[in-house]
Every structure is written in C-alpha cells, then in structure tokens.
Coordinates of all heavy atoms in Angstrom, one line a residue:
V106 N -30.7 -56.1 -12.6 CA -30.9 -54.6 -12.9 C -31.7 -54.5 -14.2 O -31.4 -55.1 -15.2 CB -29.5 -54.0 -13.1 CG1 -29.7 -52.5 -13.5 CG2 -28.6 -54.1 -11.9
D107 N -32.8 -53.8 -14.1 CA -33.7 -53.5 -15.2 C -34.1 -54.8 -16.0 O -34.1 -54.8 -17.2 CB -33.0 -52.5 -16.2 CG -32.8 -51.1 -15.6 OD1 -33.7 -50.8 -14.7 OD2 -31.9 -50.4 -15.9
G108 N -34.5 -55.8 -15.2 CA -35.0 -57.0 -15.8 C -33.9 -58.0 -16.4 O -34.2 -59.0 -17.0
V109 N -32.7 -57.6 -16.2 CA -31.6 -58.5 -16.6 C -30.8 -59.0 -15.5 O -30.3 -58.3 -14.6 CB -30.6 -57.7 -17.5 CG1 -29.4 -58.6 -18.0 CG2 -31.3 -57.1 -18.8
V110 N -30.8 -60.4 -15.4 CA -30.0 -61.1 -14.3 C -28.6 -61.3 -14.9 O -28.4 -61.8 -16.0 CB -30.6 -62.4 -14.0 CG1 -29.7 -63.2 -13.1 CG2 -32.0 -62.2 -13.3
D111 N -27.6 -60.9 -14.1 CA -26.2 -61.2 -14.4 C -25.8 -62.3 -13.4 O -25.9 -62.1 -12.2 CB -25.3 -60.0 -14.3 CG -25.4 -59.1 -15.5 OD1 -25.3 -59.6 -16.6 OD2 -25.5 -57.9 -15.3
I112 N -25.3 -63.4 -13.9 CA -24.8 -64.5 -13.0 C -23.4 -64.0 -12.6 O -22.5 -63.9 -13.5 CB -24.7 -65.8 -13.7 CG1 -26.1 -66.3 -14.3 CG2 -24.1 -66.9 -12.8 CD1 -27.1 -66.6 -13.2
M113 N -23.2 -63.7 -11.4 CA -21.9 -63.3 -10.9 C -21.0 -64.4 -10.5 O -19.8 -64.5 -10.9 CB -22.1 -62.4 -9.7 CG -23.1 -61.2 -9.9 SD -22.6 -60.2 -11.3 CE -21.2 -59.3 -10.7
N114 N -21.6 -65.4 -9.8 CA -20.9 -66.6 -9.4 C -21.8 -67.8 -9.3 O -22.9 -67.6 -8.8 CB -20.2 -66.4 -8.0 CG -19.0 -65.5 -8.1 OD1 -18.0 -65.8 -8.7 ND2 -19.1 -64.3 -7.4
L115 N -21.4 -68.9 -9.7 CA -22.1 -70.2 -9.4 C -21.0 -71.2 -9.0 O -20.0 -71.4 -9.8 CB -22.8 -70.7 -10.7 CG -23.5 -72.1 -10.6 CD1 -24.5 -72.1 -9.4 CD2 -24.1 -72.5 -11.9
Y116 N -21.1 -71.7 -7.8 CA -20.1 -72.5 -7.2 C -20.7 -73.7 -6.5 O -21.6 -73.5 -5.7 CB -19.1 -71.7 -6.3 CG -18.0 -72.6 -5.7 CD1 -16.9 -73.0 -6.5 CD2 -18.2 -73.1 -4.5 CE1 -15.9 -73.8 -6.0 CE2 -17.2 -74.0 -3.9 CZ -16.1 -74.3 -4.7 OH -15.1 -75.1 -4.2
V117 N -20.1 -74.9 -6.7 CA -20.5 -76.0 -5.9 C -19.2 -76.7 -5.4 O -18.2 -76.8 -6.2 CB -21.3 -77.1 -6.7 CG1 -21.5 -78.4 -5.9 CG2 -22.6 -76.5 -7.2
N118 N -19.1 -77.0 -4.1 CA -18.0 -77.6 -3.5 C -17.5 -78.8 -4.4 O -18.4 -79.6 -4.8 CB -18.2 -78.1 -2.1 CG -18.6 -77.0 -1.1 OD1 -18.2 -75.9 -1.3 ND2 -19.2 -77.4 0.0
V119 N -16.3 -79.0 -4.6 CA -15.7 -80.0 -5.4 C -16.3 -81.4 -5.1 O -16.7 -82.2 -6.0 CB -14.2 -80.0 -5.4 CG1 -13.6 -81.2 -6.2 CG2 -13.6 -78.7 -5.9
E120 N -16.3 -81.7 -3.8 CA -16.8 -83.0 -3.4 C -18.3 -83.2 -3.5 O -18.8 -84.4 -3.4 CB -16.4 -83.4 -1.9 CG -16.9 -82.4 -0.9 CD -16.1 -81.2 -0.7 OE1 -15.1 -80.9 -1.4 OE2 -16.4 -80.4 0.3
N121 N -19.0 -82.2 -3.9 CA -20.5 -82.3 -4.0 C -20.9 -82.1 -5.5 O -22.1 -81.9 -5.7 CB -21.2 -81.2 -3.1 CG -20.9 -81.5 -1.7 OD1 -20.2 -80.7 -1.1 ND2 -21.4 -82.5 -1.1
R122 N -20.0 -82.0 -6.4 CA -20.4 -81.8 -7.8 C -21.0 -83.1 -8.4 O -20.9 -84.2 -7.8 CB -19.1 -81.4 -8.6 CG -18.7 -80.0 -8.2 CD -17.5 -79.5 -8.9 NE -17.2 -78.1 -8.4 CZ -16.1 -77.5 -8.6 NH1 -15.2 -78.0 -9.5 NH2 -15.8 -76.3 -8.1
K123 N -21.6 -82.9 -9.5 CA -22.3 -84.0 -10.3 C -23.4 -84.6 -9.4 O -23.7 -85.8 -9.6 CB -21.3 -85.0 -10.7 CG -20.3 -84.5 -11.7 CD -19.5 -85.5 -12.3 CE -18.5 -84.8 -13.3 NZ -17.9 -85.7 -14.3
Q124 N -24.1 -83.8 -8.6 CA -25.3 -84.2 -7.8 C -26.5 -83.4 -8.2 O -27.5 -83.5 -7.5 CB -25.0 -84.1 -6.3 CG -23.8 -85.0 -5.9 CD -23.5 -84.8 -4.4 OE1 -24.3 -84.3 -3.6 NE2 -22.3 -85.2 -4.0
G125 N -26.4 -82.5 -9.2 CA -27.5 -81.7 -9.6 C -27.7 -80.4 -8.8 O -28.6 -79.7 -9.0
I126 N -26.7 -80.1 -8.0 CA -26.8 -78.9 -7.1 C -26.8 -77.6 -7.9 O -27.7 -76.7 -7.7 CB -25.7 -78.9 -6.0 CG1 -25.9 -80.0 -5.1 CG2 -25.7 -77.5 -5.3 CD1 -24.8 -80.3 -4.1
A127 N -25.9 -77.5 -8.9 CA -25.9 -76.3 -9.7 C -27.2 -76.1 -10.5 O -27.8 -75.0 -10.6 CB -24.7 -76.3 -10.7
T128 N -27.7 -77.2 -11.1 CA -29.0 -77.2 -11.8 C -30.1 -76.7 -10.9 O -30.9 -75.9 -11.2 CB -29.3 -78.6 -12.4 OG1 -28.3 -78.9 -13.3 CG2 -30.6 -78.6 -13.1
K129 N -30.1 -77.2 -9.6 CA -31.2 -76.9 -8.7 C -31.1 -75.4 -8.3 O -32.1 -74.7 -8.2 CB -31.1 -77.7 -7.4 CG -31.6 -79.2 -7.7 CD -31.4 -80.0 -6.5 CE -31.7 -81.5 -6.8 NZ -31.3 -82.4 -5.7
L130 N -29.9 -74.9 -8.1 CA -29.8 -73.5 -7.8 C -30.2 -72.6 -9.0 O -31.0 -71.6 -8.8 CB -28.3 -73.1 -7.5 CG -27.8 -73.6 -6.2 CD1 -26.2 -73.6 -6.2 CD2 -28.3 -72.7 -5.1
M131 N -29.9 -73.0 -10.2 CA -30.3 -72.2 -11.4 C -31.8 -72.3 -11.6 O -32.5 -71.2 -11.8 CB -29.6 -72.7 -12.6 CG -28.1 -72.4 -12.6 SD -27.6 -70.7 -12.8 CE -28.0 -70.4 -14.5
E132 N -32.4 -73.4 -11.4 CA -33.8 -73.6 -11.6 C -34.6 -72.8 -10.5 O -35.6 -72.3 -10.8 CB -34.2 -75.1 -11.6 CG -33.8 -75.8 -12.9 CD -34.0 -77.3 -12.9 OE1 -34.2 -77.9 -11.8 OE2 -33.9 -77.9 -14.0
Y133 N -34.1 -72.8 -9.3 CA -34.7 -72.0 -8.3 C -34.7 -70.5 -8.6 O -35.7 -69.8 -8.5 CB -34.0 -72.3 -6.9 CG -34.7 -71.6 -5.8 CD1 -35.7 -72.2 -5.1 CD2 -34.3 -70.3 -5.3 CE1 -36.4 -71.5 -4.1 CE2 -34.9 -69.6 -4.3 CZ -36.0 -70.3 -3.7 OH -36.6 -69.6 -2.6
M134 N -33.6 -70.1 -9.1 CA -33.5 -68.7 -9.6 C -34.5 -68.4 -10.7 O -35.2 -67.4 -10.7 CB -32.1 -68.3 -10.0 CG -31.8 -66.9 -10.3 SD -32.0 -66.5 -12.1 CE -30.8 -67.6 -12.8
F135 N -34.6 -69.3 -11.7 CA -35.5 -69.1 -12.8 C -37.0 -68.9 -12.3 O -37.7 -68.1 -12.8 CB -35.6 -70.3 -13.7 CG -34.3 -70.6 -14.5 CD1 -34.0 -71.9 -14.9 CD2 -33.4 -69.6 -14.8 CE1 -32.9 -72.2 -15.7 CE2 -32.2 -69.9 -15.5 CZ -32.0 -71.2 -15.9
E136 N -37.3 -69.7 -11.3 CA -38.7 -69.6 -10.7 C -38.9 -68.4 -9.8 O -40.1 -68.1 -9.7 CB -39.0 -70.9 -10.0 CG -39.0 -72.2 -10.9 CD -39.0 -73.5 -10.1 OE1 -39.2 -73.4 -8.8 OE2 -38.8 -74.5 -10.7
N137 N -37.9 -67.9 -9.2 CA -38.1 -66.9 -8.2 C -37.7 -65.5 -8.5 O -37.9 -64.6 -7.7 CB -37.4 -67.4 -6.9 CG -38.2 -68.5 -6.3 OD1 -39.2 -68.4 -5.7 ND2 -37.6 -69.8 -6.5
E138 N -37.1 -65.3 -9.6 CA -36.7 -63.9 -10.0 C -37.5 -63.5 -11.2 O -37.9 -64.3 -12.1 CB -35.2 -63.9 -10.4 CG -34.2 -64.1 -9.3 CD -34.2 -63.0 -8.3 OE1 -34.6 -61.9 -8.5 OE2 -33.8 -63.3 -7.1
R139 N -37.8 -62.2 -11.2 CA -38.5 -61.6 -12.4 C -37.5 -61.0 -13.3 O -36.9 -60.0 -13.0 CB -39.5 -60.5 -11.9 CG -40.6 -61.1 -11.0 CD -41.5 -60.0 -10.5 NE -42.4 -60.6 -9.6 CZ -43.7 -60.2 -9.5 NH1 -44.1 -59.2 -10.2 NH2 -44.5 -60.8 -8.7
Y140 N -37.4 -61.6 -14.4 CA -36.3 -61.2 -15.4 C -36.8 -61.3 -16.8 O -37.8 -62.0 -17.1 CB -35.1 -62.0 -15.2 CG -35.3 -63.5 -15.5 CD1 -35.0 -64.0 -16.8 CD2 -35.7 -64.4 -14.6 CE1 -35.3 -65.3 -17.1 CE2 -35.9 -65.7 -14.9 CZ -35.6 -66.2 -16.2 OH -35.9 -67.5 -16.5

C-alpha cells in the first residue's frame, strides 16, 4: 500500500527449513515488487 510492503506471513514447512527457502522467497519479492 502506497509503496510500503507489509510482510503478513512468511512460512516454510518445518521439514524444509534451513534450505534457503525463506531467503529465496524474500529475495524474489525484493526483485519483483515496487516499494
């Protein structure tokens, strides 16, 4: 909203954590959102 991104939820399945998934999701958002 108005150039401000609010992170509402970031979740990775317990068995898939520590594989860089959260980082990849965040980096994808950095590259694809205008904020």
Side-chain angles (χ1 to χ4, degrees):
V106 178
D107 294 331
V109 178
V110 170
D111 282 311
I112 304 292
M113 307 305 288
N114 288 297
L115 175 59
Y116 179 79
V117 176
N118 296 337
V119 174
E120 60 273 8
N121 300 108
R122 293 184 182 167
K123 298 191 179 197
Q124 298 175 21
I126 293 171
T128 300
K129 289 175 186 172
L130 284 164
M131 294 290 286
E132 289 174 344
Y133 184 85
M134 186 264 304
F135 295 156
E136 295 171 9
N137 290 282
E138 292 293 339
R139 294 178 186 218
Y140 64 90

